[in-house]
C-alpha cells in the first residue's frame, strides 16, 4: 500500500479553529434554551431561593443580634446589607461551578450528550462555548432576581447596584472557565468533591459573613489571594456606590481570571471532549 | 480517491493497545465491514474515523481530510450510529432528529419534512412526541439510526446497528442500507452477526487484538479460511470433546465447540456417511455450506485441532 501523504494541516489560529469549531455555537445554545423549559424546575428555583433564604435567616435573623458592621469606606452598614452582595457573589460562583463541573461531567460521561453533539459537524469549541453561555444565562437570571430582591428590601443605596448584575456574570465566567478546564482532569464523580471541599471554607472565610479584619494578618493575605474575596468586596462596594483603589484590583482579578480560565479551557478542550 | 485511507493507525489507552497499527482503504460506494471479537478495536477505529477519539499515531484521511485537524468538515458528510445509543434524554423523539440536524447547521424548512420521513422509516411516527426515556430499547436504536441519516451523509458509520432490533426492523434497515448503497453512499459496518456481514459487506477486515488478521470479500474469505462444506455433529456435551480424536480422520480440520463438533470438509455428506458407518452415532447432524461464521471462528476463536 502506498503511503498516505497528508496535506500539511494549517497552523496557527485558523488551523486550530478549523479543527475545533464549525462556528456554530448557536446550535448548542438553541438546544440549551429548548431544554430549559423541560428541566427540573425545582433545581432552577432552588438556585434562586438559596441566597434569598440565607439573606433572610442570617441577614435579618442573625443581623438583629449584630446590629451594624463597618462597610466600604468605613461607613456603618446593617448586617443584612453587609452580607447581601457577598451572597450574590457566592451564588454566581456556585452556579457557574456546578454547571461547568458536575453538569459537564454528567453530560460527558453519563448522558453522552457531548458524544452525540461531537459526532455532528460541531467541534469541541462550539460545545464548550454554548455550555458556558448557558451557564452565564442562568447566572444572569439569578443575578437579576437576587439584585431585585435586595433592592426591594432596601439593602442597596446606590444606582451602582445595577452593575452588580454584569459583575456577577464576570465572576461566573471566571469560575466557569476554570471549572471546565479542571473537569477535563476528572475521571470520577468523587474527584469533584474536592471542589466542594475547597469551596465551603472559601465561602465561610472570604469576608462573606464577617469582615476580613477578624483574622490575623497572615490569614488575611491568604484570603485576599483567593478569588471569592475579590468578588465579595467588589459587590459590596457596588451595592453602596463607594469605591477606592482596591475596586480596580478586584475587577482586574476577575478579568485576568476569566482570560486565563478561557485560555486554560481552550488548551484542555480536546482532552476534555475527545478522549 | 478512496473515501477512507488509514495507514498504521494506532490508539493506545493508558496501557491497552486498542488499535495496534492497522491500514486499509475504503473506496467510494463500497460497503466495508469490520468484524472481530469483543475488544478487537472496531469501535475505536470507528471513533477515530469520526475524529471523536484522538489517535496515538498513524495517518488517516476521510474524504481527503484528516479528521483530527478538520473534524467539523469531515463530520459534515458523515452519519454516525454509535454502538451505544446517545439520544438526548431531554428532548422528545422528533426533536432529537431536528436538533441533531441543527448541529449540522441545517435549516428548519429542510429538517421538518426530513424528520417526518425518518420517523416513518423508523416506524416511530406514533411516538414522535414521546420522551426518549419512554421508548423501548429497539425503538431507541431505530431512532438513533434514523438520526444518523438527517444530514444525508455520503459516508455512514454503523457500529453494530442491528443489535436489539427485531427481525422486521432489521430487514427494514437492510433494505434502506441497500438503497443508500445504490445511491452511492459508502457504508462502514461493524457487526457480530455473520449473516449480516455476508449480506451487507462487499469487503471486510477481521480484527483481533487491535490488528487486522484477514481481509477480503466474504466469499473469498470463506474460500481461503474454510472448506466448502461443514458437518456439524452433536454427541451431547459430555462426549463432544472426548470424540475429537476419533473424528480426526474424517475431515480436513475439526473445531470442537462446547455444544457441537464442526468438521471442515469439502464433502460433508460423505463424511457423515463414514462417521455413521464407523458406528459413531451423533444425536443430531447437520450438513451445511461454510459461512463467514466458520471463518470468524477459525481466525479469532480457539485454535483448531488439526
Ligand atoms: N475509553 C477507553 N478507555 C480505556 N480503554 C478503552 C476505552 N475504549 C476502549 N478501550 C479498550 O480498547 C479495546 C478496544 O475496544 P473497542 O471498543 O474498540 O472494541 P470493539 O472491537 O468495538 O469491541 P465490541 O465488539 O465489544 O464492541 C478494549 O480492550 C477496550 O477495553
Ligand atoms: Mg464496539
Amino acid at each position: 500500500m502506498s503511503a498516505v501523504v497528508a496535506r500539511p494541516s494549517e497552523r496557527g489560529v485558523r488551523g486550530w479553529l478549523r479543527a475545533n469549531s464549525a462556528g456554530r455555537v448557536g446550535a448548542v445554545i438553541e438546544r440549551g434554551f429548548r431544554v430549559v423549559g423541560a428541566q427540573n424546575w425545582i433545581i432552577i428555583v432552588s438556585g434562586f431561593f438559596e441566597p434569598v433564604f440565607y439573606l433572610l435567616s442570617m441577614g435579618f435573623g442573625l443581623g438583629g443580634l449584630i446590629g451594624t458592621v463597618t462597610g466600604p469606606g468605613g461607613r456603618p452598614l446593617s448586617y443584612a446589607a453587609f452580607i447581601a452582595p457577598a451572597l450574590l457573589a457566592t451564588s454566581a460562583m456556585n452556579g457557574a461551578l456546578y454547571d461547568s463541573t458536575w453538569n459537564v461531567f454528567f453530560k460527558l460521561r453519563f448522558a453522552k450528550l457531548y458524544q452525540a453533539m461531537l459526532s455532528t459537524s460541531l467541534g469541541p469549541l462550539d460545545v464548550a462555548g454554548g455550555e458556558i453561555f448557558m451557564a452565564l444565562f442562568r447566572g444572569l437570571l439569578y443575578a437579576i432576581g437576587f439584585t431585585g430582591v435586595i433592592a426591594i428590601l432596601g439593602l442597596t443605596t446606590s444606582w451602582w447596584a445595577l452593575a452588580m448584575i454584569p459583575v456577577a456574570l464576570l465572576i461566573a465566567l471566571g469560575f466557569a472557565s476554570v471549572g471546565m478546564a479542571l473537569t477535563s482532569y476528572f475521571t470520577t464523580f468523587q474527584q469533584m468533591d474536592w471542589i466542594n471541599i475547597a469551596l465551603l471554607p472559601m465561602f465561610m472565610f472570604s469576608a462573606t459573613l464577617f469582615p476580613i479584619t477578624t483574622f490575623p494578618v497572615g490569614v488575611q493575605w491568604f484570603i485576599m489571594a483567593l478569588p471569592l474575596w475579590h468578588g465579595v468586596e467588589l459587590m459590596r462596594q457596588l451595592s453602596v456606590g463607594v469605591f477606592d483603589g482596591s475596586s480596580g484590583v478586584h475587577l482586574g482579578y476577575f478579568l485576568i481570571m476569566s482570560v486565563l480560565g478561557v485560555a486554560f479551557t481552550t488548551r484542555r478542550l480536546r482532552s476534555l471532549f475527545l478522549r | 480517491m478512496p473515501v477512507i485511507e488509514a495507514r498504521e493507525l494506532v490508539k493506545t489507552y493508558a496501557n491497552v493497545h486498542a488499535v495496534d497499527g492497522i491500514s486499509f482503504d475504503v473506496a467510494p460506494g463500497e460497503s466495508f465491514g469490520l468484524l472481530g471479537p469483543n475488544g478487537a478495536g472496531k469501535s475505536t477505529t470507528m471513533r477515530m474515523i469520526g475524529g471523536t477519539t484522538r489517535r496515538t499515531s498513524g495517518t488517516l484521511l476521510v474524504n481527503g481530510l484528516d479528521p483530527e485537524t478538520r473534524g467539523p468538515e469531515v463530520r459534515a458528510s458523515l452519519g454516525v450510529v454509535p454502538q451505544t445509543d446517545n439520544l438526548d434524554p431531554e428532548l422528545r423523539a422528533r426533536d432529537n432528529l431536528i436538533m441533531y440536524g441543527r448541529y449540522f447547521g441545517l435549516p428548519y424548512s429542510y429538517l421538518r419534512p426530513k424528520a417526518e420521513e425518518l420517523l416513518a422509516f423508523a416506524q416511530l411516527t406514533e411516538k414522535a412526541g414521546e420522551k426518549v426515556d419512554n421508548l423501548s430499547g429497539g425503538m431507541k436504536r431505530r431512532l438513533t439510526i434514523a438520526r444518523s441519516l438527517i444530514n444525508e451523509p455520503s459516508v455512514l458509520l454503523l457500529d453494530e446497528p442491528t443489535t436489539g432490533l427485531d427481525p422486521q426492523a432489521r430487514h427494514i434497515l437492510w433494505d434502506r442500507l441497500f438503497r443508500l448503497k445504490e445511491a452511492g453512499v459508502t457504508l462502514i459496518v461493524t457487526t457480530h452477526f455473520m449473516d449480516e456481514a455476508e449480506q451487507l459487506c462487499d469487503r471486510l477486515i477481521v480484527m483481533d487484538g487491535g490488528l487486522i488478521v484477514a481481509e477480503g470479500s466474504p466469499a473469498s474469505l470463506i474460500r481461503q479460511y474454510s472448506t466448502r462444506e461443514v458437518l456439524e455433529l452433536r454427541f451431547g456435551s459430555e462426549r463432544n470433546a472426548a470424540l475429537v480424536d476419533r473424528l480426526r480422520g474424517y475431515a480436513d480440520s475439526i473445531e470442537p465447540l462446547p455444544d457441537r463438533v464442526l468438521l471442515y470438509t469439502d464433502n460433508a455428506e460423505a463424511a457423515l456417511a463414514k462417521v455413521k458407518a464407523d458406528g459413531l452415532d451423533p444425536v443430531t447432524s447437520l450438513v451445511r455450506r461454510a459461512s463467514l461464521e466458520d471463518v470468524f471462528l477459525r481466525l479469532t476463536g480457539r485454535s483448531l485441532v488439526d
Side-chain angles (χ1 to χ4, degrees), chain B residues 1-279:
Chain B
M1 186 181 71
V3 171
I4 295 174
E5 298 180 66
R7 293 293 174 277
E8 295 301 322
L9 275 191
V10 174
K11 175 68 187 184
T12 311
Y13 292 107
N15 45 18
V16 184
H17 297 285
V19 173
D20 207 8
I22 63 170
S23 304
F24 58 89
D25 282 351
V26 181
E30 195 176 19
S31 297
F32 186 75
L34 296 168
L35 303 189
N38 293 143
K42 306 178 296 292
S43 300
T44 307
T45 304
M46 293 285 229
R47 282 199 300 273
M48 285 194 279
I49 294 173
T52 49
T53 285
R54 291 177 296 172
R55 56 179 188 270
T56 308
S57 66
T59 53
L60 176 64
L61 293 182
V62 179
N63 285 326
L65 300 174
D66 182 341
E68 198 136 305
T69 57
R70 306 284 284 272
E73 287 159 274
V74 165
R75 290 191 295 272
S77 53
L78 235 53
V80 178
V81 177
Q83 182 169 353
T84 28
D85 297 329
N86 52 16
L87 296 163
D88 192 333
E90 294 182 270
L91 296 174
R92 288 163 199 280
R94 179 190 287 114
D95 292 342
N96 254 281
L97 300 179
I98 291 180
M99 233 13 261
Y100 199 75
R102 296 294 292 161
Y103 300 151
F104 283 102
L106 300 166
Y108 279 101
S109 56
Y110 163 84
L111 287 172
R112 280 201 199 92
K114 185 73 184 173
E116 294 314 312
E117 187 258 310
L118 289 173
L119 283 168
F121 153 65
Q123 297 182 293
L124 289 172
T125 306
E126 260 100 84
K127 302 276 183 184
E130 198 71 56
K131 280 190 173 171
V132 165
D133 283 337
N134 296 346
L135 299 180
S136 77
M139 289 175 185
K140 284 185 196 154
R141 196 67 187 146
R142 271 146 45 191
L143 189 60
T144 305
I145 293 167
R147 192 183 66 173
S148 73
L149 299 173
I150 196 87
N151 60 327
E152 305 199 330
S154 66
V155 181
L156 195 52
L157 305 178
L158 302 144
D159 198 346
E160 301 187 23
T162 55
T163 301
L165 293 188
D166 63 31
Q168 192 214 8
R170 180 180 297 195
H171 280 100
I172 291 173
L173 174 63
W174 286 0
D175 176 58
R176 179 83 173 211
L177 293 180
F178 280 123
R179 281 189 283 143
L180 287 170
K181 192 168 147 48
E182 273 168 20
V185 173
T186 308
L187 306 177
I188 318 276
V189 190
T190 77
T191 179
H192 289 296
F193 301 110
M194 294 302 131
D195 56 332
E196 183 164 278
E198 252 178 288
Q199 287 238 12
L200 288 179
C201 301
D202 301 326
R203 200 159 58 85
L204 45 88
I205 55 178
V206 181
M207 293 180 69
D208 197 7
L211 296 165
I212 296 178
V213 293
E215 175 171 3
S217 68
S220 75
L221 285 172
I222 292 169
R223 234 178 293 124
Q224 198 177 342
Y225 292 99
S226 179
T227 49
R228 215 160 52 83
E229 294 186 339
V230 182
L231 174 60
E232 291 193 12
L233 300 176
R234 287 169 205 263
F235 296 95
S237 48
E238 304 292 292
R239 292 176 65 210
N240 284 339
L243 285 171
V244 167
D245 279 337
R246 285 190 59 190
L247 290 168
R248 220 174 272 284
Y250 298 101
D252 296 353
S253 61
I254 296 179
E255 174 85 26
L257 300 178
D259 63 328
R260 58 193 199 261
V261 184
L262 304 183
L263 279 72
Y264 290 98
T265 165
D266 282 330
N267 190 342
E269 284 291 356
L272 177 60
K274 267 197 270 174
V275 167
K276 285 188 170 159
D278 288 356

Side-chain angles (χ1 to χ4, degrees), chain A residues 209-230:
Chain A
L209 302 176
F210 40 86
I212 192 170
T213 46
T214 323
F215 296 107
V217 177
V219 178
Q220 286 189 31
W221 280 106
F222 178 70
I223 292 169
M224 287 158 86
L226 299 175
L228 184 59
W229 179 76
H230 292 274

Side-chain angles (χ1 to χ4, degrees), chain A residues 31-266:
Chain A
R31 185 225 171 243
F33 280 118
R34 220 173 233 254
V35 303
V36 162
Q39 257 167 359
N40 194 341
W41 278 94
I42 308 276
I43 292 177
I44 294 178
V45 170
S46 75
F48 168 73
F49 277 108
E50 195 182 284
V52 175
F53 287 148
Y54 263 104
L55 179 63
L56 295 180
S57 69
M58 310 215 38
F60 293 100
L62 204 57
L65 303 173
I66 293 169
T68 57
V69 279
T70 313
R75 302 181 186 192
L77 212 54
S78 78
Y79 185 64
F82 178 79
I83 65 166
L87 292 173
L88 178 54
T90 307
S91 110
M93 169 185 85
N94 284 336
L97 279 177
Y98 178 80
D99 278 339
S100 63
T101 59
W102 283 86
N103 234 339
V104 164
F105 192 77
F106 178 80
K107 289 178 184 172
L108 198 63
R109 286 304 175 92
F110 296 93
K112 306 261 179 211
L113 175 69
Y114 299 145
Q115 274 90 333
M117 287 182 166
L118 291 168
S119 54
T120 72
S121 58
L122 291 176
L125 183 63
D126 301 314
V127 177
E131 290 294 89
I132 287 186
F133 179 93
M134 287 313 295
L136 293 186
F137 176 75
R138 269 190 291 275
L140 176 67
L141 293 186
Y142 293 155
I144 291 174
F146 191 70
T147 307
V149 168
I150 60 179
I152 290 167
L153 293 174
L155 301 178
T156 57
T157 55
S158 160
W159 283 105
W160 277 106
L162 280 178
M164 288 163 54
I165 294 168
V167 167
L169 286 189
L170 181 63
I171 292 173
L173 177 62
F175 281 104
S177 57
V178 172
M180 199 178 255
L182 291 179
T183 305
S184 72
Y185 294 98
F186 293 147
T187 51
T188 65
F189 266 119
Q190 282 76 27
Q191 289 167 331
M192 255 172 301
D193 287 334
W194 298 347
I195 291 187
N196 289 346
I197 289 168
L199 282 189
L200 189 63
M202 185 148 88
F203 164 63
M204 301 301 268
F205 300 121
S206 288
T208 33
L209 302 176
F210 40 86
I212 192 170
T213 46
T214 323
F215 296 107
V217 177
V219 178
Q220 286 189 31
W221 280 106
F222 178 70
I223 292 169
M224 287 158 86
L226 299 175
L228 184 59
W229 179 76
H230 292 274
V232 166
E233 286 297 302
L234 182 56
M235 284 291 192
R236 202 165 272 152
Q237 293 170 348
L238 287 168
S239 73
V240 292
V242 174
F243 304 99
D244 57 32
S246 72
S247 314
V249 175
H250 302 320
L251 190 63
Y253 190 102
F254 272 97
L255 287 173
I256 291 170
M257 181 174 171
S258 298
V259 168
L260 292 182
V262 168
F264 187 20
T265 291
T266 304

